[in-house]
Amino acid sequence: MSEFFGSVWWLLVTLGLLVTFHEFGHYWVARRCGVKVLRFSIGFGKPIWSRMGRDGVEYAIGAIPLGGYVKFLDARESENPEAAAHEPGEYNAAPVGKRMLIAAAGPVFNIVFTIAAFWAMFVIGRPDFQPVIGTPQGLAAAAGLHAGDRILAVDGDRVDSWSTAMLDVAQAAMLRQDIALQVETAGSGATQTRILALSQLPHGVADDDKTFDAIGLQLQPPPAVVGGLSAGGAAALAGLHVDDRITAINNKPVASFADLVKFVPELAAQDPHLHLTVQRGADTLGFDLTAEQHTQDGKSRWLIGIAPGNTHDALERYNPLRAVPAAFHETWKTTRTTLGMIGAMLTGAASTRNLSSVISIAQVANASAQMGMAWFLSFLAIISLSLGILNLLPIPMLDGGHLLYYLIEWIKGSPVSERTMIAGQYVGMAALAALMSLAFYNDILRLVSG
């Protein structure tokens, strides 16, 4: 499947799951509050599929899959308002407290989905890398970090994987906040605290793809472990096995698979007869082989028939019981970060270039799906939480806007006037259109410049 079609497919899967769960929250609570539901739709526009359920609800899939809605029996939208107002289950006849519960149910269900997805991710186990630093540059080098240092915590939060550590660093970089890295130093094993001065990031860098180039943190390259052997290839004929670790070529030290890829053509161009030093268990072995020259796409390459192995050396996994508090902690941590980012963008402390549209969501959905179920669940959890928080913002047309109207009604004892609601709808539409336009602009700019 091509990257484009893969991105489209996984975007549809993502939106389908999260929108269904969100709208089911409104539907489920409304039914229990005695409000009549007329339609449950995933997607907007003309239905491409619909079916009338035994419960009298029309279930539909709209042609535009960017959202969904639950339509209630509402006298204001009826052709015969007076008759509809006296029908059992009319929405506006429900007490304001119940209408607030119905409006809040969608975002709450998104948060519940987030916790469940993080729990499943931890139970399955998310493969990752140990948070061990490669050769530092830029701000990382200035902070006194060294190759081989292992990150233990970021600003006091323990980290057990490279991705978790880098996510914390990236979020702080967006806000240009200095952070404290607690590390176990290479060689001595002593614990030290290094201050990564992200406030010194150059202007125009903290919100683009060059962020980590300026920060200078990179993962320690994985070792040159044999993951696969080409049948009849030089390495297989010489007697190498899967899981062998190559430590040298012609007595030239090999620290990583990247070194192996670099050294083989360099040395073979001088003499195709190579000597490999290999670590197999506790034994150190030597193998002589002859590199082979292959031509592909008009380019000549020297190969020895070795493929890299699965270099993941960390696994974030808990038993089902321990995964519960871990899921709650991850949800709270992500919520805190998301709210902090929204606040920073509103105050100007963080750039609005951090906003992303469905284009970025589709790309990340496809990438995370290729990395495995645990990574895709992690992605779904983050997007679900973002959807829940976004819908709670007090913007008309969103659930938070409805909650604001109902709060005003509860305080003043009467509904907000229809004129005010119509004006709010226009303001909400304008605000959402501006946000979506900015997000699309950011993504298109990334595609063009990337």
Side-chain angles (χ1 to χ4, degrees), residues 118 121-122 126-132 150-155 157-172 179 181 212 217 219 314-318 326 329-330 333-334 336-337 371 375 378 382:
F118 275 137
M121 177 199 76
F122 284 124
R126 184 172 64 179
D128 210 321
F129 299 96
Q130 294 289 338
V132 180
R150 187 187 192 282
I151 302 174
L152 302 175
V154 178
D155 268 351
D157 286 336
R158 176 183 168 181
V159 295
D160 296 312
S161 68
W162 179 258
S163 295
T164 301
M166 291 306 100
L167 181 60
D168 290 346
V169 170
Q171 290 164 346
I179 55 173
L181 299 183
F212 277 95
L217 279 173
L219 177 68
L315 184 66
E316 293 181 288
R317 175 187 284 171
Y318 302 104
H329 177 266
E330 195 73 13
K333 180 180 176 181
T334 308
R336 184 181 60 193
T337 300
M371 294 168 68
W375 277 100
S378 175
I382 293 171

Side-chain angles (χ1 to χ4, degrees), residues 136-222:
Q137 298 175 348
L139 296 178
L145 295 165
H146 298 91
D149 286 353
R150 187 187 192 282
I151 302 174
L152 302 175
V154 178
D155 268 351
D157 286 336
R158 176 183 168 181
V159 295
D160 296 312
S161 68
W162 179 258
S163 295
T164 301
M166 291 306 100
L167 181 60
D168 290 346
V169 170
Q171 290 164 346
M174 292 178 186
L175 302 175
R176 298 201 176 192
Q177 293 179 344
D178 295 347
I179 55 173
L181 299 183
Q182 187 179 31
V183 300
E184 181 181 277
T185 58
S188 68
T191 300
Q192 300 284 344
T193 298
R194 309 295 189 197
I195 303 300
L196 195 57
L198 299 177
S199 59
Q200 297 179 15
L201 279 169
H203 290 284
V205 168
D207 53 351
D208 63 28
D209 293 337
K210 296 181 180 179
T211 298
F212 277 95
D213 290 339
I215 295 173
L217 279 173
Q218 56 184 333
L219 177 68
Q220 185 180 65

Side-chain angles (χ1 to χ4, degrees), residues 121-431:
M121 177 199 76
F122 284 124
V123 171
I124 293 171
R126 184 172 64 179
D128 210 321
F129 299 96
Q130 294 289 338
V132 180
I133 300 170
T135 303
Q137 298 175 348
L139 296 178
L145 295 165
H146 298 91
D149 286 353
R150 187 187 192 282
I151 302 174
L152 302 175
V154 178
D155 268 351
D157 286 336
R158 176 183 168 181
V159 295
D160 296 312
S161 68
W162 179 258
S163 295
T164 301
M166 291 306 100
L167 181 60
D168 290 346
V169 170
Q171 290 164 346
M174 292 178 186
L175 302 175
R176 298 201 176 192
Q177 293 179 344
D178 295 347
I179 55 173
L181 299 183
Q182 187 179 31
V183 300
E184 181 181 277
T185 58
S188 68
T191 300
Q192 300 284 344
T193 298
R194 309 295 189 197
I195 303 300
L196 195 57
L198 299 177
S199 59
Q200 297 179 15
L201 279 169
H203 290 284
V205 168
D207 53 351
D208 63 28
D209 293 337
K210 296 181 180 179
T211 298
F212 277 95
D213 290 339
I215 295 173
L217 279 173
Q218 56 184 333
L219 177 68
Q220 185 180 65
V225 175
V226 178
L229 294 163
S230 299
L237 294 175
L240 270 77
H241 294 172
V242 171
D243 293 332
D244 283 349
R245 178 175 176 176
I246 301 171
T247 58
I249 302 179
N250 291 357
N251 296 320
K252 190 172 185 176
V254 173
S256 67
F257 204 89
D259 286 346
L260 183 67
V261 172
K262 177 184 177 182
F263 295 157
V264 166
E266 289 180 357
L267 297 174
Q270 302 171 20
D271 184 351
H273 299 93
L274 305 176
H275 178 78
L276 273 59
T277 304
V278 172
Q279 192 75 33
R280 181 179 294 170
D283 300 325
T284 300
L285 309 173
F287 295 90
D288 293 308
L289 53 81
T290 302
E292 301 171 334
Q293 199 167 21
H294 293 261
T295 301
Q296 185 176 8
D297 298 329
K299 294 182 179 180
S300 181
R301 301 167 55 196
W302 289 97
L303 302 174
I304 58 175
I306 290 177
N310 181 6
T311 56
H312 289 117
D313 54 5
L315 184 66
E316 293 181 288
R317 175 187 284 171
Y318 302 104
N319 64 44
L321 192 59
R322 284 195 60 199
V324 173
F328 275 95
H329 177 266
E330 195 73 13
T331 301
W332 165 243
K333 180 180 176 181
T334 308
T335 301
R336 184 181 60 193
T337 300
T338 304
L339 292 175
M341 181 57 63
I342 292 173
M345 284 192 287
L346 289 174
T347 59
S351 172
T352 53
R353 287 179 63 185
N354 294 305
L355 287 172
S356 298
S357 72
V358 291
I359 297 175
S360 284
I361 293 174
Q363 292 173 328
V364 179
N366 183 48
S368 61
Q370 305 311 313
M371 294 168 68
M373 178 58 75
W375 277 100
F376 188 60
L377 284 168
S378 175
F379 164 77
L380 286 176
I382 293 171
I383 298 299
S384 180
L385 184 62
S386 299
L387 181 62
I389 292 174
L390 175 65
N391 271 278
L392 285 174
L393 295 178
I395 299 175
M397 293 189 67
L398 297 179
D399 296 324
H402 293 302
L403 285 171
L404 178 61
Y405 287 148
Y406 299 147
L407 180 62
I408 294 173
E409 179 181 345
W410 179 70
I411 293 172
K412 68 191 287 279
S414 61
V416 175
S417 68
E418 186 173 349
R419 183 177 178 181
T420 300
M421 291 187 67
I422 292 174
Q425 295 290 338
Y426 282 115
V427 171
M429 287 178 63

